[in-house]
C-alpha cells in the first residue's frame, strides 16, 4: 500500500505509540518537532557553485556530460564540499552507453533512519553545453542546502539524505539505478524524495510538482508566503529523477522553472518575463551558461529547497 508522505510519518508514529502502549521501549524516540525555520540560502553561495561548474565545463570540452571528464570533475567538486562539512558520502558506480557513470549520495549523520527524507538533482549536463540551469541550478541549490544543514548543526527528527544523479539526460539512468538497487526494506524507509531539475530558468515560471499532496502543499505554502503564485507542473511526469521513486511508491515532489515550452501572456502577468518565449531558450544548448540564470528565481527556489528540507524532516 502506497502511503502519502504524511501517512508514512503517521504510520511510523503509530508504531511508536503502539510500542509505548505495550510498554515497549523505542530507541531514539522521536523528540518533539523542532520549530526551527530554515536559514536563508545565500544566492551568492549558490552562484559560486555555478561558477565552479562553469569552470569545470570550460576546462573539459565545454560540458559536464555522462561519461566525460567534466561530469566526474563536477562530482568530485560536490563530494569534497560535503566531506569537509561532515557528511557520509558514497559514490555509486554504474555503466550506461558503454561509459562509467556515478551517483553521489550524502547522508547527514543522525535522525531516524526508518524515516529518510531525500533531496536530489541530476548533476550531468547534455554533451552540447555546460548545463548551468539544466541542471547546475538544482545541484547547486541542493548542495548549498546540505551545507546549511551542517553550518547550522541542524539535527532533525528524520534522517536526511542528499543525492546527485548521473546520466539523467540519457533517461534517468542514475536515479533509476539507485532505486532499483535499493532493498525493499530500504526503499520503504524513504519518507519522501524531493527533486530539483531546472530551478533558475531565465524566463522563469514557478511550477510545483503535483504529486504527493503534503510535499506539494509545503512548496505552495512557501511561495504563497512570498506572494509568488505557482502553477502545477504538467509536463514533468516521467521526465526527471523523481519518476523512479514515484514508480517505487515513494512520495515525491519538486520544483521547476520551465524548459522549452513558451511562457504565456497570462503567466507574464503573474511572474513577469517575456510572453511567446521559452522559459529557458538555452535548454540543452551551448548557451546554458552562468549567464542563463534568473537570480530571483534561483534565490527563491533555493530558499524553497531549504524550507522543504527543514519542514519535511522535523
Ligand atoms: N527532463 C529534464 C527537463 C525537464 C523537462 N520537463 C520537466 C519537468 C519537470 C522536471 C524537469 C523537466 C532535463 O532535460 O533534464
Ligand atoms: Ca536566499
Ligand atoms: Zn536536460
Ligand atoms: Zn535536467
Amino acid at each position: 500500500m502506497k502511503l502519502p508522505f504524511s501517512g508514512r510519518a503517521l504510520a511510523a508514529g503509530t508504531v511508536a505509540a503502539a510500542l509505548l502502549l505495550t510498554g515497549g521501549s523505542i530507541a531514539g524516540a522521536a523528540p518533539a518537532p523542532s520549530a526551527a525555520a530554515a536559514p536563508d540560502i545565500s544566492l551568492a553561495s549558490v552562484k559560486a557553485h555555478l561558477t565552479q561548474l562553469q569552470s569545470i565545463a570550460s576546462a573539459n570540452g565545454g560540458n559536464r556530460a555522462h561519461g566525460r571528464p567534466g561530469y566526474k570533475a563536477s562530482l568530485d567538486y560536490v563530494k569534497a564540499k560535503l566531506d569537509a562539512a561532515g557528511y557520509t558520502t558514497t559514490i555509486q558506480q554504474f555503466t550506461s552507453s558503454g561509459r562509467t557513470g556515478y551517483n553521489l549520495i550524502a547522508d547527514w549523520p543522525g535522525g531516524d533512519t526508518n524515516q529518510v527524507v531525500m533531496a536530489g538533482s541530476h548533476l550531468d549536463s547534455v554533451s552540447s553545453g555546460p548545463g548551468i540551469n539544466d541542471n547546475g541550478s538544482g545541484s547547486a541549490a541542493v548542495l548549498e542546502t546540505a551545507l546549511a544543514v551542517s553550518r547550522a548543526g541542524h539535527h532533525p527528527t528524520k534522517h536526511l539524505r542528499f543525492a546527485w544523479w548521473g546520466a539523467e539526460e540519457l533517461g534517468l539512468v542514475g536515479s533509476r539505478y539507485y532505486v532499483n538497487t535499493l532493498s525493499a526494506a530500504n526503499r520503504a524507509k524513504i519518507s519522501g524524495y524531493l527533486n530539483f531539475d531546472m530551478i533558475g530558468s531565465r524566463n522563469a515560471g514557478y511550477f510545483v510538482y503535483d504529486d504527493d499532496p503534503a510535499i506539494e502543499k509545503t512548496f505552495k505554502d512557501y511561495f504563497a508566503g512570498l506572494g509568488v503564485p505557482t502553477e502545477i507542473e504538467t509536463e514533468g511526469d516521467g521526465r526527471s529523477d523523481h519518476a523512479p521513486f514515484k514508480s517505487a511508491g515513494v512520495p515525491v515532489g519538486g520544483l521547476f522553472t520551465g524548459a522549452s515550452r513558451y511562457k504565456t501572456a497570462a503567466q507574464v502577468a503573474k511572474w513577469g518575463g517575456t510572453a511567446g518565449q521559452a522559459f529557458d531558450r538555452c535548454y540543452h544548448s551551448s548557451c546554458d551558461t552562468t549567464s542563463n540564470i534568473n537570480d530571483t528565481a534561483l534565490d527563491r527556489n533555493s530558499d524553497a529547497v531549504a524550507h522543504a528540507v527543514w519542514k519535511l524532516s522535523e
Side-chain angles (χ1 to χ4, degrees), residues 35-121:
D40 173 69
I41 299 299
S42 154
L43 173 65
S45 299
V46 176
K47 293 188 76 174
H49 299 313
L50 295 184
T51 300
Q52 288 295 323
L53 295 178
Q54 176 75 64
S55 300
I56 287 169
S58 302
N60 290 283
N63 68 73
R64 300 180 305 101
H66 163 72
R68 311 292 179 84
Y71 177 75
K72 186 61 169 55
S74 301
L75 192 98
D76 292 343
Y77 169 76
V78 175
K79 183 179 186 294
K81 292 284 184 186
L82 293 161
D83 288 339
Y87 279 82
T88 303
T89 56
T90 307
I91 292 183
Q92 187 179 49
Q93 198 170 304
F94 58 87
T95 302
S96 182
S97 302
R99 293 172 184 251
T100 302
Y102 308 91
N103 292 324
L104 173 63
I105 311 297
D107 283 278
W108 180 238
D112 178 1
T113 53
N114 290 309
Q115 297 183 83
V116 180
V117 172
M118 286 191 74
S121 62

Side-chain angles (χ1 to χ4, degrees), residues 146-169:
L147 297 178
V149 167
S150 172
R151 278 194 298 269
H154 185 51
H155 290 286
T157 304
K158 300 185 179 80
H159 179 77
L160 290 177
R161 181 174 299 152
F162 299 91
W164 290 262
W165 307 116
E168 185 272 350
E169 300 288 8

Side-chain angles (χ1 to χ4, degrees), residues 122 134 168-169 195 197-198 209 233 235-237 239-240 242 255-256 259 283-284:
H122 75 86
D134 183 21
E168 185 272 350
E169 300 288 8
N195 192 61
D197 182 357
M198 301 180 71
Y209 295 11
E233 204 309 294
E235 69 166 291
D237 261 356
R239 292 196 60 177
S240 193
H242 58 301
L255 299 172
F256 177 58
Y283 177 58
H284 286 187

Side-chain angles (χ1 to χ4, degrees), residues 190-251:
I190 303 176
S191 306
Y193 172 72
L194 311 178
N195 192 61
F196 305 99
D197 182 357
M198 301 180 71
I199 61 170
S201 306
R202 278 303 299 259
N203 193 23
Y206 291 88
F207 298 99
V208 177
Y209 295 11
D210 60 333
D211 287 293
D212 178 76
I215 299 175
E216 180 181 355
K217 184 178 188 310
T218 299
F219 285 125
K220 289 174 82 168
D221 288 353
Y222 181 76
F223 281 103
L226 297 179
V228 176
T230 55
E231 292 185 4
I232 59 168
E233 204 309 294
T234 55
E235 69 166 291
D237 261 356
R239 292 196 60 177
S240 193
D241 294 303
H242 58 301
F245 288 88
K246 183 174 181 179
S247 301
V250 174

